Amino acid sequence: AVIMVTSAAENRKMECSNGNVVSSSSCSLSAQNDVTSTSSLSALARAQALDAPTPHSSVGGEYEDHEWWVSHEDLFSKARQEWGRLHPELYDAQDHVETFEERFVRNEFRNQFRNVWVESSVEHETSVRDLFQETNAPGVYGFQMFTDEFHRLFMEELDYQISSGIPLRRPNGMNRYGAILSELGLDSIVTVMIDRYFRPVGQLLYPEFMGTKDAEEHFSFVVRYKMEEDVELAEHTDASVVTINLCLGKPGFEGGSLYFKGLRWMNNELNENGAALPTDTAAFAQRNEIVMEPGMGIIHLGRHEHAALPLTGGERTNMIVWLSGEHGVVRIAKYSKEEMQEAAAMRWYPRID
């Protein structure tokens, strides 16, 4: 791509120098475009040539090499603008919500959600809730909301962006491989998912813990499990009120199931290390395993302790969305009955015509 664009620029320069243009203004405009192209190409080339720091820590690695990544943010942004997008339709979902839903959301989800957005009756809410089936891990709900085309295009886009050679920052403090979606420009599609689906569903499934202000912000990323990279993830809770986990692919991976234990921070008792004791000790003695497959999604409370078992073959990529309050606040206290009723009344507003 660099050779082709550079050749075109050189050709325009030759045309100007040989007088093969209609006016001098054409030469000036061409020269300006050449400067812009050279600058953009330079950003991509410089980004590709960087020796990015290797992620090491599997615990508390959020700020690993933080200064290096911050110092190169502008360069990476310019480099990605030059590299471009394979599937532009994934980037403008907020401007084309109906097109996004018709193409990428399965019919039964789109229809049931539209019914409840138009009229939030108990019957319609029940129909929506039935789309999310509780797994063998209590309090964790499975669903298959998005079309095969969505998963295919999203994975193709990720592969395309990875192939650019532009360094990718680790997605979180535990996973070393993946990407932060906002840094790829893919936050628009996540915002639509949250506003139209996951925020009201989180309130519907977890009314004691998720109110009207508990999805003001989100952090979304993809994680990659692959042999010779990350193959498992230790027990942990998430920095979220509610977490959405979508298995994108790739088909054919082996192992890599998730397991869930109990809920943290359910009482005021602390152990000798200052950590909250589980309310139900028996729940933490059990491992409720969930087998992830491409196209499958789960939703759970961020405080629900979980882990990823070792991947034994192939590659598994998941999109993770953490929902939280303003400034990343994660509320722990339960809501009162009155607060839950108030939140329920506002769950499906503003209405969709």
Side-chain angles (χ1 to χ4, degrees):
V2 172
I3 295 174
M4 291 175 64
V5 176
T6 302
S7 297
E10 290 300 325
N11 287 337
R12 288 197 299 273
K13 291 178 182 177
M14 291 175 63
E15 289 173 358
C16 287
S17 63
N18 293 332
N20 297 326
V21 292
V22 176
S23 67
S24 60
S25 61
S26 298
C27 274
S28 298
L29 179 59
S30 179
Q32 291 174 8
N33 289 337
D34 290 343
V35 170
T36 302
S37 296
T38 301
S39 174
S40 179
L41 287 171
S42 176
L44 178 58
R46 284 185 288 136
Q48 292 171 330
L50 285 172
D51 186 14
T54 301
H56 294 289
S57 178
S58 58
V59 178
E62 295 92 332
Y63 296 103
E64 193 174 56
D65 302 302
H66 176 71
E67 293 79 8
W68 189 92
W69 290 100
V70 170
S71 68
H72 290 90
E73 282 180 351
D74 289 342
L75 173 63
F76 295 158
S77 177
K78 294 175 182 177
R80 292 205 178 281
Q81 288 178 14
E82 178 193 333
W83 180 253
R85 299 163 174 178
L86 183 63
H87 298 298
E89 61 269 38
L90 296 176
Y91 293 83
D92 60 1
Q94 284 178 282
D95 297 325
H96 306 281
V97 174
E98 290 188 5
T99 301
F100 163 79
E101 291 185 323
E102 290 175 3
R103 186 172 177 184
F104 296 138
V105 179
R106 293 181 182 274
N107 289 338
E108 62 270 27
F109 279 82
R110 186 173 68 250
N111 293 337
Q112 296 295 356
F113 271 86
R114 183 166 184 80
N115 288 340
V116 76
W117 273 114
V118 173
E119 181 185 358
S120 56
S121 66
V122 173
E123 178 182 357
H124 287 153
E125 277 204 334
T126 300
S127 296
V128 165
R129 187 186 180 99
D130 288 344
L131 295 172
F132 297 80
Q133 296 295 310
E134 191 168 34
T135 67
N136 62 326
V140 180
Y141 297 86
F143 60 91
Q144 288 191 315
M145 179 183 295
F146 301 104
T147 62
D148 293 340
E149 182 187 22
F150 170 76
H151 289 94
R152 178 177 60 80
L153 295 187
F154 205 94
M155 284 298 296
E156 289 177 358
E157 189 66 35
L158 287 177
D159 288 341
Y160 177 73
Q161 294 300 333
I162 291 171
S163 71
S164 71
I166 302 170
L168 289 172
R169 187 173 184 173
R170 63 181 302 158
N172 59 58
M174 298 181 72
N175 293 95
R176 296 176 299 163
Y177 301 94
I180 299 170
L181 292 183
S182 61
E183 295 184 356
L184 298 180
L186 284 165
D187 236 19
S188 174
I189 201 166
V190 178
T191 298
V192 171
M193 292 178 181
I194 293 170
D195 290 344
R196 304 279 282 204
Y197 300 97
F198 295 134
R199 176 186 54 77
V201 163
Q203 295 173 4
L204 181 63
L205 297 176
Y206 309 107
E208 290 183 305
F209 302 107
M210 187 171 178
T212 57
K213 299 295 184 180
D214 291 316
E216 295 289 294
E217 295 184 4
H218 73 270
F219 179 57
S220 55
F221 51 93
V222 291
V223 296
R224 183 175 73 241
Y225 295 91
K226 186 178 180 180
M227 309 309 291
E228 309 302 327
E229 294 184 353
D230 289 332
V231 296
E232 61 186 329
L233 200 63
E235 292 179 359
H236 65 283
T237 55
D238 296 335
S240 68
V241 177
V242 165
T243 293
I244 298 94
N245 184 333
L246 303 177
C247 184
L248 300 173
K250 297 179 178 179
F253 67 81
E254 299 175 354
S257 297
L258 307 183
Y259 72 79
F260 286 79
K261 298 176 79 172
L263 299 179
R264 291 287 180 186
W265 307 302
M266 295 296 289
N267 57 34
N268 296 321
E269 297 182 52
L270 303 179
N271 64 16
E272 63 275 11
N273 297 318
L277 292 169
T279 301
D280 185 357
T281 305
F284 280 80
Q286 299 178 1
R287 290 185 176 186
N288 299 298
E289 188 173 331
I290 297 175
V291 178
M292 298 295 287
E293 298 178 353
M296 175 184 177
I298 59 173
I299 182 170
H300 62 86
L301 290 170
R303 68 177 69 191
H304 204 150
E305 187 155 307
H306 57 287
L309 292 168
L311 188 79
T312 57
E315 178 179 335
R316 175 166 72 84
T317 298
N318 287 49
M319 179 198 297
I320 312 295
V321 180
W322 289 348
L323 302 182
S324 64
E326 190 176 8
H327 306 304
V329 170
V330 176
R331 179 187 170 102
I332 292 177
K334 289 184 178 182
Y335 284 102
S336 67
K337 182 178 180 180
E338 291 75 19
E339 289 172 319
M340 287 190 286
Q341 291 174 339
E342 180 180 342
M346 298 300 296
R347 188 150 49 225
W348 303 101
Y349 281 91
R351 293 292 188 201
I352 296 176
D353 296 329

